[in-house]
Every structure is written in C-alpha cells, then in structure tokens.
C-alpha cells in the first residue's frame, strides 16, 4: 500500500528517517511550516526557514525517492510577536507561489489571543485570494472550543470547508469537524494527541470519509512511521483495506491536490534517484559512502515487486 504522510516536520529529522519512511511505503509527504521549539526573534530567520522547506528538504526527500511538498504560514505561537508577524506576512505571498507549496499552514490558535486571531484571519484571506487549501493547527489547550472557533472563523471568511484541513483532532472534536464538512486530520504521537490504537477505534466508528492520518513527526519525541504503523494496526484489527488506503493515502491527495501542486503522477512516474546530485554544492553523502542510483524504470519495477 502506498502511503502519504501529510504532516511531517522533516527539517528536524535525519536521513535515516527518510530511508525508513521510504522503506515503509511512504511515496510523498507534506512538511508544514511550524514553530521550531524556541521563538524566532528576527524575520530573516523565518525567511531562511521557509527557504529550507521549499528547497533543501525537497531535495533531501528526493534523494530517497519521496516526493516532498510543504505548506507555508505564520504559526500561532509566533503570531504573538507582532513585529515578527508583520515581517513574515510581507514575505508569505512570495513563498505561497513557490513550486510544491500545497496550502497555507499550519495556522490557527495556540492561546487564542487577539494577535493569533488577527494573523489567522489575514492568512485565511491570503489562502482565499490564492485559491489554496488551509491547514489549521488546533490548540493543545482548550481544544474543543479552539477547534469550533477555528471552523467558525473559516466560515466567516467564506472558505469552503472542503478546502480546509482541521488538524490535531481527537475524540472530542472529530464529530463536529466532520459534520461541518471539514477534513479531519489526526496527528499520531507516541503518548499524546492521538495514538495508533485510538485512531483505529475512530476509524471503526466514523469510517474513512474526510479523515486524514499523519505522523506530525518533529523535533520532540515522535515517530516518523506514525502513518505506516497506524495503517498496519488498522488492517490487523479488521478495518477494511479500502478505508485504510483512503485515510493514509487517498484523502490527503484529494485534499491537498486542490492546490494544483500535487498529483499522483508525481510518484507513479518518478524521477531518477542519483545521490551524487548536489544542492547548492552540498550532498547528503558522507565519509566516502557509495551513492544510491536508481532509474525511473528501476523504481517502477521495485514498486511493482513490493505491491
């Protein structure tokens, strides 16, 4: 089964993670712009970060046969630094038009402050202007109210719920998210947000329509194989294969494919892998390691063998 991980912060992961994801069947991933663990104090650091996820990480993923896409946005925590936020908002339209950008995100609320609300709304307007999907980060605290409020604001700004992915759902929020016509994303973490077994029970209750499973792997304790492990457990526990494929592959493609930047053809007819290739003069190879080289025909044959 081919897999898509629609929420993977790969800038904080190693090449071993890319290899493990490729070995597990991940053919594409989406890297959302996010908070990096400590506050950024200067807009230039934000610009360099966005440049990395539209450039270097796209290259790095490709060296392991994974198609890399991303979302760009001002995250909710740093929206509370007004000077930084104003500077980032000046840059965002330029990054939103880059190749491989599939949504504005992840944006939304953290503490649900007035500044978070202001910049959430400004970015929703940018998404509407550019006809891009939106990835919404729902708050860790007071999640139910924050999730409802996020959807209210999206509707106030005239966004089609089918263009909005409400991420980090849980048992408290999923029913309302689906009832209101939004996509419901679930971040699989080892000990918080949503675990593999809990996710399987949600699939048993709600089925696969408009549900998206992602790993949300980042710089903290997290698992880059969250999607693959959830898919495996769901199959073992009797969830129909078509439902598993839907929530771990098809739905993400449908939701983010609305950007016009992501299509199944991107990995069904893949480019070659040549780890001798350089990006800005840099290679992923170290210490005389032999490069992996694979033609498109080699890759298609390997995929057929795996299937």
């Amino acid at each position: 089964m081919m897999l898509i991980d629609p929420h993977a912060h790969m800038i904080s992961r190693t090449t071993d993670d890319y290899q493990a994801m490729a070995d597990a069947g991940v053919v594409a991933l989406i890297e959302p712009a996010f908070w990096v663990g400590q506050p950024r104090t200067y807009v230039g650091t934000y610009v360099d970060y966005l440049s990395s996820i539209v450039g270097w990480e796209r290259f790095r993923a490709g060296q392991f046969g994974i198609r890399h896409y991303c979302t760009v946005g001002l995250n909710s925590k740093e929206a509370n630094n007004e000077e930084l936020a104003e500077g980032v908002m000046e840059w965002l339209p330029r990054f939103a038009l880059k190749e491989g950008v599939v949504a504005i995100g992840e944006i939304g609320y953290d503490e649900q402050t007035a500044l978070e609300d202001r910049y959430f709304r400004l970015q929703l307007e940018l998404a509407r202007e550019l006809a891009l999907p939106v990835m919404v980060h729902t708050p860790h605290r007071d999640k139910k109210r924050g999730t409802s409020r996020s959807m209210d604001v999206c509707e106030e700004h005239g966004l089609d719920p089918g263009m909005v992915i409400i991420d980090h759902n849980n048992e408290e929020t999923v029913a309302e998210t689906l009832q209101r016509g939004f996509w419901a994303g679930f971040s699989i973490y080892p000990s918080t947000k949503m675990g593999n077994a809990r996710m399987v029970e949600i699939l048993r209750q709600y089925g696969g329509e408009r549900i998206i499973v992602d790993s949300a792997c980042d710089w903290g304790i997290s698992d880059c194989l969250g999607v693959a492990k959830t898919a495996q457990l769901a199959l073992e526990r009797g969830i129909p294969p078509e439902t598993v494929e839907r929530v771990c592959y098809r739905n993400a493609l449908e939701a983010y494919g609305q950007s016009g930047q992501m299509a199944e053809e991107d990995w069904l007819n893949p480019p070659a892998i040549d780890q001798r290739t350089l990006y800005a003069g840099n290679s992923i190879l170290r210490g005389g390691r032999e490069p992996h080289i694979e033609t498109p025909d080699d890759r298609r044959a390997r995929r057929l063998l795996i299937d």
Side-chain angles (χ1 to χ4, degrees):
M1 183 181 294
M2 292 187 293
L3 304 171
I4 295 174
D5 190 336
H7 196 131
H9 299 295
M10 299 308 294
I11 196 169
S12 59
R13 310 300 292 199
T14 67
T15 52
D16 286 350
D17 292 323
Y18 273 124
Q19 187 63 64
M21 294 170 81
D23 291 343
V26 174
V27 294
L29 62 83
I30 298 170
E31 177 154 4
F34 81 134
W35 186 64
V36 294
Q38 70 176 35
R40 281 167 279 213
T41 58
Y42 175 61
V43 68
T45 60
Y46 218 108
V47 172
D48 287 342
Y49 166 73
L50 294 176
S51 297
S52 292
I53 64 173
V54 301
W56 171 245
E57 287 306 320
R58 187 173 172 86
F59 166 78
R60 206 161 67 111
Q63 296 289 279
F64 297 90
I66 297 175
R67 292 305 297 254
H68 180 286
Y69 309 89
C70 69
T71 75
V72 298
L74 170 68
N75 71 78
S76 51
K77 288 179 74 71
E78 288 174 309
N80 291 296
N81 179 338
E82 191 169 9
E83 182 179 357
L84 176 72
E86 286 296 319
V88 172
M89 289 303 302
E90 290 182 15
W91 278 93
L92 270 187
R94 280 175 268 186
F95 278 100
L97 296 173
K98 298 278 188 183
E99 184 180 2
V101 174
V102 296
I104 300 298
E106 54 185 302
I107 61 175
Y109 295 114
D110 180 47
E111 297 290 348
Q112 303 189 51
T113 65
L115 282 174
E116 290 170 17
D117 186 69
R118 166 179 165 75
Y119 292 108
F120 182 30
R121 292 174 182 274
L122 285 174
Q123 291 180 94
L124 292 178
E125 285 300 314
L126 176 62
R128 196 163 68 115
E129 177 186 338
L130 298 178
L132 281 173
V134 174
M135 178 192 286
V136 174
H137 166 92
T138 53
H140 304 299
R141 295 163 294 280
D142 200 6
K143 180 176 285 289
K144 193 172 190 310
R145 183 173 73 89
T147 301
S148 297
R149 182 181 180 186
S150 298
M151 292 187 284
D152 290 343
V153 171
C154 288
E155 290 173 348
E156 286 174 28
H157 284 261
L159 271 74
D160 177 354
M163 290 286 284
V164 180
I165 299 88
I166 305 293
D167 218 334
H168 312 314
N169 273 273
N170 63 18
E171 292 88 346
E172 281 191 314
T173 62
V174 56
E176 182 185 359
T177 301
L178 293 174
Q179 286 165 6
R180 294 177 70 166
F182 292 83
W183 295 93
F186 290 84
S187 308
I188 307 301
Y189 269 73
S191 55
T192 183
K193 292 188 179 176
M194 178 58 56
N196 307 100
R198 287 167 59 198
M199 189 69 238
V200 171
E201 292 311 307
I202 285 174
L203 296 179
R204 198 182 308 282
Q205 181 176 354
Y206 292 96
E209 186 175 354
R210 282 183 288 109
I211 286 178
I212 297 173
V213 175
D214 58 64
S215 74
C217 59
D218 58 23
W219 38 261
I221 297 172
S222 52
D223 190 350
C224 67
L225 298 181
V227 177
K229 291 179 180 179
T230 301
Q232 183 62 39
L233 184 62
L235 292 170
E236 290 172 1
R237 296 193 175 180
I239 302 300
E242 58 271 21
T243 299
V244 178
E245 183 190 30
R246 210 168 168 187
V247 302
C248 295
Y249 179 77
R250 292 279 168 206
N251 285 349
L253 176 58
E254 182 178 343
Y256 292 103
Q258 296 176 103
S259 65
Q261 289 288 327
M262 181 181 187
E264 198 170 36
E265 192 69 12
D266 295 347
W267 50 86
L268 291 184
N269 287 296
I273 298 173
D274 186 345
Q275 292 183 344
R276 299 169 301 182
T277 307
L278 302 180
Y279 181 90
N282 293 314
S283 163
I284 64 165
L285 300 176
R286 295 291 184 273
R289 182 185 176 106
E290 285 296 312
H292 177 67
I293 302 168
E294 196 172 281
T295 69
D297 287 341
D298 291 337
R299 294 185 63 194
R300 290 189 199 98
R302 182 162 58 86
R303 180 156 297 144
L304 287 171
L305 182 62
I306 293 171
D307 291 343

